[in-house]
């Protein structure tokens, strides 16, 4: 079960425990609460853990490696991507050195095997909390890019998002469609530029809510100043639907621009051209996170060729084009 989210008091530590065993989770919570002036928040699977990781900075995260949903290895990797200064302690019932090495490669600061020795566990938590780096909050506007499928945003405006991130803006990438096995790639891609990803899992997120209602809830929390959306000049119906759904949900966002997508027709008429030459390397890394999935809408060679094509109209070498819809 997941406890309601609470912000830590000014002098308290905020700890996140991601553990699917209720007994283990309660044992860890009890030990931490007895040793620290702390708020302990628990999640029982990797997907909940990821959502909490993206929501705020934690003083430390304790992650079980064998989780339902996103597994602990992937969650650890995401934690170090989104919160590089936050320590992660991985716990596991497996004793294989290869398995533990994989956790360290994913970014875990320390790996412990179950059953936990509580004295050693608390000593390590104290040590890591003392050396944890404080989070540097983003400044400037919140920027949200919405795609109908995984990879659409990265191909259409990945360089622009990298530029926003470089300027210290809060960047959020929203994926409205796609199967669960694509979520790790979307998470890793967002992590390349330190962005947050919201992946719409209809089997978990929808209930009776429409995409517009779900998006409206996200926008109320995020309060974006800039939206990047698919172009109306898309052939694929789901991409057009993503555009109109986002425009409906984000009717109060002051600035909205449409990017060129994988199925955009020649009627795409951009009026804004952004030089992304200094950020093409990061854009290609975003796209490359999807390489193992062999998706038809993601290819580094196409990303490079498209950027150079539009560069001919501006004098820059590599450009991403946009249609200005609002603002």
């Amino acid at each position: 079960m997941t406890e309601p989210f609470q912000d830590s008091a000014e002098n308290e530590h905020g700890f996140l425990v991601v553990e699917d065993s209720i007994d283990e989770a309660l044992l860890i919570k009890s030990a931490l609460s007895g040793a620290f002036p702390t708020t302990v928040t628990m999640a029982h699977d990797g997907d909940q853990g990821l959502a909490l990781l993206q929501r705020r900075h934690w003083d430390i995260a304790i992650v079980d490696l064998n989780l339902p949903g996103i597994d602990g290895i992937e969650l650890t990797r995401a934690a170090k991507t989104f919160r590089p200064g936050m320590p992660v302690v991985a716990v596991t019932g497996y004793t294989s050195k290869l398995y533990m090495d994989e956790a360290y490669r994913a970014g875990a600061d320390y790996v412990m095997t179950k059953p936990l020795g509580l004295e050693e566990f608390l000593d390590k938590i104290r040590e890591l909390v003392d050396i944890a780096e404080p989070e540097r909050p983003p400044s400037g506007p919140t920027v949200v890019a919405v795609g109908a499928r995984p990879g659409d945003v990265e191909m259409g405006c990945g360089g622009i998002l990298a530029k926003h991130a470089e300027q210290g803006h809060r960047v959020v990438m929203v994926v409205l469609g796609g199967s669960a096995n694509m979520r790790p790639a979307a998470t890793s891609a967002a992590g390349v530029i330190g962005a947050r990803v919201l992946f719409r899992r209809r089997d978990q997120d929808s209930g009776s809510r429409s995409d517009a209602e779900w998006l409206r809830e996200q926008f109320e929390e995020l309060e974006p100043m800039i939206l990047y959306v698919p172009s109306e000049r898309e052939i694929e119906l789901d991409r057009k639907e993503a555009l109109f759904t986002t425009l409906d949900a984000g009717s109060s966002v002051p600035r909205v621009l449409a990017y060129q997508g994988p199925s955009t027709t020649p009627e795409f008429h951009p009026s804004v051209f952004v030089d992304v030459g200094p950020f093409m390397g990061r854009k290609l890394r975003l796209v490359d996170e999807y390489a193992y999935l062999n998706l038809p809408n993601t290819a580094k060679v196409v990303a490079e060729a498209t950027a150079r094509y539009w560069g001919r109209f501006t004098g820059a070498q590599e450009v991403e084009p946009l249609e200005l819809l609002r603002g």
Side-chain angles (χ1 to χ4, degrees):
M1 62 183 172
T2 303
E3 298 179 350
F5 171 78
Q6 293 180 326
D7 286 316
S8 301
E10 184 177 347
N11 62 346
E12 287 188 342
H13 298 295
F15 293 167
L16 175 64
V17 177
V18 189
E19 169 63 71
D20 63 321
S21 166
I22 294 178
D23 290 341
E24 291 282 351
L26 292 176
L27 176 66
I28 292 172
K29 178 180 180 180
S30 176
L32 293 173
S33 299
F36 299 90
T38 187
T39 297
V40 180
T41 299
M42 295 190 295
H44 77 274
D45 63 36
D47 292 338
Q48 290 182 344
L50 178 63
L52 288 167
L53 277 171
Q54 294 182 128
R55 185 169 182 175
R56 59 158 284 185
H57 179 79
W58 304 89
D59 292 291
I60 199 163
I62 296 94
V63 176
D64 182 23
L65 293 180
N66 188 25
L67 291 168
I70 292 178
D71 67 25
I73 297 291
E74 187 61 39
L75 184 60
T76 298
R77 187 174 292 113
K80 284 300 186 178
T81 296
F82 292 115
R83 313 289 181 190
M86 181 189 69
V88 175
V89 172
V91 298
T92 178
Y94 295 113
T95 58
S96 166
K97 185 177 184 301
L98 290 176
Y99 193 68
M100 297 175 73
D101 285 347
E102 187 178 3
Y104 280 118
R105 286 196 299 272
D109 294 271
Y110 197 68
V111 182
M112 300 188 71
T113 55
K114 300 177 185 178
L116 295 177
L118 292 183
E119 185 174 342
E120 178 193 1
F121 172 71
L122 291 175
D123 284 346
K124 180 55 64 174
I125 297 296
R126 292 187 186 97
E127 175 187 328
L128 292 173
V129 166
D130 285 343
I131 64 173
E133 299 177 17
E135 181 167 45
R136 298 174 178 84
S139 58
T142 295
V143 176
V144 177
V146 179
R149 306 178 193 180
D152 280 4
V153 163
E154 291 84 346
M155 287 289 290
C157 58
I160 293 170
L161 297 181
K163 189 172 186 176
H164 278 293
E166 181 77 10
Q167 294 170 336
H169 302 167
R170 183 186 186 193
V171 178
V172 181
M173 301 161 72
V174 178
V175 184
L176 289 179
S179 57
N181 70 312
M182 298 179 184
R183 185 170 187 163
T187 301
S188 297
V192 169
I193 58 171
R196 176 182 176 185
V197 65
L198 297 175
F199 195 97
R200 174 84 153 132
R201 282 279 302 278
R202 285 178 171 77
D203 59 331
Q204 293 184 348
D205 301 326
S206 59
S208 59
R209 292 182 299 171
S210 67
D211 281 355
E213 290 170 324
W214 181 81
L215 269 177
R216 199 171 291 114
E217 290 178 9
Q218 311 309 318
F219 292 163
E220 285 175 0
E221 176 188 341
L222 296 170
E223 299 182 344
M225 296 297 292
I226 305 173
L227 268 180
Y228 295 100
V229 297
S231 171
E232 188 177 354
R233 280 78 175 176
E234 287 281 353
I235 295 174
E236 299 293 344
L237 181 60
D238 61 339
R239 292 184 173 119
K240 283 190 175 183
E241 288 178 346
L243 165 66
F244 295 120
T245 296
T246 305
L247 292 178
D248 178 26
S251 58
S252 62
V253 179
R255 186 167 173 84
V256 183
L257 303 108
Y259 57 81
Q260 182 181 23
S263 61
T264 303
T265 69
E267 283 70 40
F268 177 73
H269 293 306
S271 58
V272 178
F273 300 85
V274 182
D275 180 1
V276 295
F279 303 96
M280 273 304 293
R282 265 171 276 185
K283 171 170 180 164
L284 296 179
R285 285 178 58 201
L286 291 173
V287 175
D288 198 43
E289 292 296 330
Y290 292 94
Y292 72 96
L293 293 171
N294 295 314
L295 300 179
N297 63 320
T298 56
K300 290 200 299 184
V301 64
V302 175
E304 284 186 293
T306 303
R308 288 177 181 174
Y309 170 82
W310 289 109
R312 299 184 311 160
F313 301 98
T314 67
Q317 184 173 357
E318 292 156 322
V319 161
E320 286 179 343
L322 299 163
E323 295 173 320
L324 182 61
L325 305 186
R326 186 188 304 154

